[in-house]
């Protein structure tokens, strides 16, 4: 199928791809997303494939159907989570023996944070490196998770203890999480790769 | 080779006491994989080693979570494991894809008994899958359409089999963490406890 694109289309496409790369996706991942896009009849035959490809929801669908790899600029702790808590060649500031414990802790207690604010989980881990046995490590994760849950569910109740715990651990919260009223939080991603991508994309744009 | 498909209720022991050939027949592994077994498969050596170890150390109730991107051979490995186990041990098993499982559940909606309707040769199949067969391969989990119903039912099946100490082999393109994210707290402990192998 032969297509011709206007100069405006080309500019939009260039910007979309730039944003994907700035968000940390590797060129291979972007290429796979483009291939996936054109293998889908509905996408490929759209009136404007460029606009279709540039849509955030379409990009999310494409990201869910390829194996996402992120570039070297990604925080190693995020990479560790992305690689299913396997360190491989990653240089991490704790010993191998803590890997399994971290995996269990994050998966059992911190899922609500990770899929919305992966950077907060990274911050907590960084803060407690060398001191994972400190009970405040788990308390901070529990409090963060519970704060996120408070915002996203109808749950009432007092979350001031969670607040105090987080404050004491000196974790810097995004403004929406600091709100005393239930606030719209960052959209939860379907997979951890997409959560990391969203975070990176947002911080690049700011 | 063909065997009679039971239409009345059969116990755990009845299934286990079939001949190896009959147990294999009832697994309903798709025939397209007839010629795929461990000796003919090409898998990454590290992954192959992990699978061999899992098989060697297999005991009833042990679970396996095979993950990796589409097309790397997770289902082929899963069926080969099931084949090997039912042919060599007195164990019953079944291969079912997650979308097929959901489809079967929906087909029970119109029956008062909760059993599968007449178009199915085995009315108790869903009950066997959830609480009788020793090993079930739940194939392609995550590829079924994501609805509240499907997420709940797949999660419940995994949890129930885990709590009853029956083996489940899951094949999925979702990484363990993303899997838990999708199927929720219900599957958390079960998935954490499973042996996980990334197929590449």
């Amino acid at each position: 199928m032969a297509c011709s694109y206007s100069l405006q289309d080309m500019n939009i496409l260039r910007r979309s791809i730039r944003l994907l790369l700035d968000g940390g996706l590797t060129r291979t991942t972007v290429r796979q997303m483009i291939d996936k896009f054109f293998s889908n009849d509905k996408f490929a035959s759209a009136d404007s494939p460029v606009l279709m490809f540039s849509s955030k929801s379409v990009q999310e669908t494409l990201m869910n159907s390829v194996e996402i790899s992120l570039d070297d600029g990604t925080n190693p702790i995020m990479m560790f989570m992305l690689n299913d808590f396997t360190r491989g060649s990653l240089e991490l500031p704790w010993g191998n023996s803590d890997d399994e414990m971290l995996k269990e802790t994050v998966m059992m207690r911190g899922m609500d944070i990770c899929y919305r604010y992966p950077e907060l989980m990274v911050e907590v881990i960084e803060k407690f490196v060398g001191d994972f046995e400190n009970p405040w490590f788990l308390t901070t994760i529990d409090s963060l998770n519970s704060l996120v849950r408070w915002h996203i569910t109808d749950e009432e109740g007092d979350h001031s203890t969670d607040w105090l715990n987080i404050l004491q651990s000196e974790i810097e919260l995004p403004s929406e999480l600091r709100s005393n009223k239930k606030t719209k939080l960052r959209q939860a991603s379907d997979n951890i790769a997409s959560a990391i991508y969203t975070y990176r994309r947002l911080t690049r744009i700011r | 080779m063909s065997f009679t498909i039971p239409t009345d209720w059969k116990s755990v022991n009845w299934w286990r006491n079939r001949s190896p050939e009959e147990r294999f027949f009832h697994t309903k592994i798709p025939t397209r994989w007839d010629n795929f077994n461990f000796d003919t498969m090409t898998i990454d050596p590290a992954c192959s080693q992990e699978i061999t170890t899992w098989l060697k150390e297999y005991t009833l109730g042990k679970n396996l979570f095979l993950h990796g991107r589409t097309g790397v051979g997770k289902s082929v490995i899963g069926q080969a494991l099931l084949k090997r186990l039912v042919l060599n041990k007195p164990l019953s098993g079944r291969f079912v894809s997650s979308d097929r499982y959901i489809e079967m559940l929906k087909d029970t909606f119109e029956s008062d008994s909760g059993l599968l309707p007449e178009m199915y040769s085995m009315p108790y199949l869903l009950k066997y899958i959830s609480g009788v067969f020793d090993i079930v391969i739940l194939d392609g989990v995550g590829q079924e359409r994501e609805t509240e119903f499907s997420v709940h039912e797949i999660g419940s099946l995994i949890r129930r089999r885990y709590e009853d100490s029956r083996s489940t082999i899951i094949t999925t393109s979702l990484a363990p963490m993303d899997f838990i994210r999708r199927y929720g707290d219900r599957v958390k402990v079960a998935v954490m406890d499973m042996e996980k192998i990334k197929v590449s």
Side-chain angles (χ1 to χ4, degrees), chain A residues 67 81 84-85 103-104 106-109 111-112 114-115 149 188-193, chain B residues 67-70 146 174-182 185 188-189 191-192 196 198:
Chain A
E67 193 173 22
M81 293 199 280
D84 193 31
F85 300 86
K103 175 181 183 171
E104 235 168 78
V106 172
M107 284 165 85
M108 295 303 282
R109 297 167 179 254
M111 297 288 276
D112 290 307
C114 278
Y115 284 77
R149 287 194 70 80
S189 296
D190 284 339
N191 55 60
I192 192 68
Chain B
H67 64 109
R69 59 191 167 80
T70 314
E146 188 177 356
L174 298 171
M177 191 165 161
D178 295 336
F179 191 93
I180 293 174
R181 154 101 186 111
R182 177 159 171 160
D185 289 349
K188 216 177 238 184
V189 177
V191 173
M192 292 296 292
K196 298 169 202 73
K198 185 170 185 178

Side-chain angles (χ1 to χ4, degrees), chain A residues 24-43:
Chain A
L25 298 185
T26 58
R27 285 177 182 279
T28 313
T29 303
V30 176
R31 200 175 305 127
Q32 283 174 354
M33 286 169 65
I34 295 170
D35 288 344
K36 266 278 176 258
F37 180 87
F38 283 110
S39 68
N40 179 316
D41 289 343
K42 197 180 104 194
F43 292 157

Side-chain angles (χ1 to χ4, degrees), chain B residues 17-164:
Chain B
N17 291 332
R18 302 301 90 206
S19 66
E21 294 75 21
E22 186 170 355
R23 289 197 304 265
F24 174 65
F25 170 79
H26 290 299
T27 60
K28 295 292 170 199
I29 292 173
T31 49
R32 65 178 180 276
W33 289 322
D34 276 355
N35 299 321
F36 285 94
N37 55 50
F38 282 115
D39 311 320
T40 57
M41 280 191 303
T42 326
I43 325 167
D44 167 65
C47 173
S48 169
Q49 182 58 49
E50 285 182 85
I51 290 162
T52 312
T53 308
W54 184 85
L55 191 59
K56 208 189 287 174
E57 293 171 358
Y58 176 82
T59 50
L60 188 57
K62 235 180 141 188
N63 300 298
L64 182 61
F65 187 95
L66 290 169
H67 64 109
R69 59 191 167 80
T70 314
V72 290
K74 303 177 294 288
S75 307
V76 185
I77 294 170
Q79 65 83 30
L81 287 168
L82 177 60
K83 197 186 288 183
R84 182 70 68 94
L85 287 168
V86 296
L87 286 174
N88 293 299
K89 292 176 188 274
L91 299 169
S92 59
R94 185 82 180 192
F95 180 100
V96 65
S97 68
S98 62
D99 49 5
R100 181 85 177 113
Y101 177 72
I102 294 298
E103 200 182 304
M104 285 197 281
L105 280 172
K106 286 181 180 164
D107 285 335
T108 61
F109 287 172
E110 283 170 24
S111 103
D112 295 334
S113 58
L115 300 179
L116 285 163
E118 277 172 15
M119 60 185 185
Y120 289 89
S121 50
M122 206 188 277
Y124 292 96
L125 181 57
L126 283 172
K127 293 191 186 300
Y128 292 142
I129 289 174
S130 66
V132 171
F133 289 141
D134 295 310
I135 311 157
V136 163
I137 298 193
L138 200 50
D139 186 54
V141 187
Q143 278 169 6
E144 74 285 351
R145 199 160 70 88
E146 188 177 356
T147 61
E148 213 174 300
F149 175 75
S150 67
V151 165
H152 181 270
E153 292 302 330
I154 297 283
S156 298
L157 175 66
I158 293 169
R159 182 169 176 147
R160 171 156 186 211
R161 290 191 56 83
Y162 172 74
E163 285 174 348
D164 291 352

Side-chain angles (χ1 to χ4, degrees), chain B residues 3-8 14-15 22 25-26 28 121-123:
Chain B
F3 296 90
T4 312
I5 294 172
T7 51
D8 54 339
W14 186 89
W15 286 103
E22 186 170 355
F25 170 79
H26 290 299
K28 295 292 170 199
S121 50
M122 206 188 277

Side-chain angles (χ1 to χ4, degrees), chain A residues 81-96:
Chain A
M81 293 199 280
L82 181 65
N83 295 342
D84 193 31
F85 300 86
T86 308
R87 64 169 59 209
S89 59
L90 289 172
E91 283 188 23
L92 299 167
W94 62 82
N96 298 20

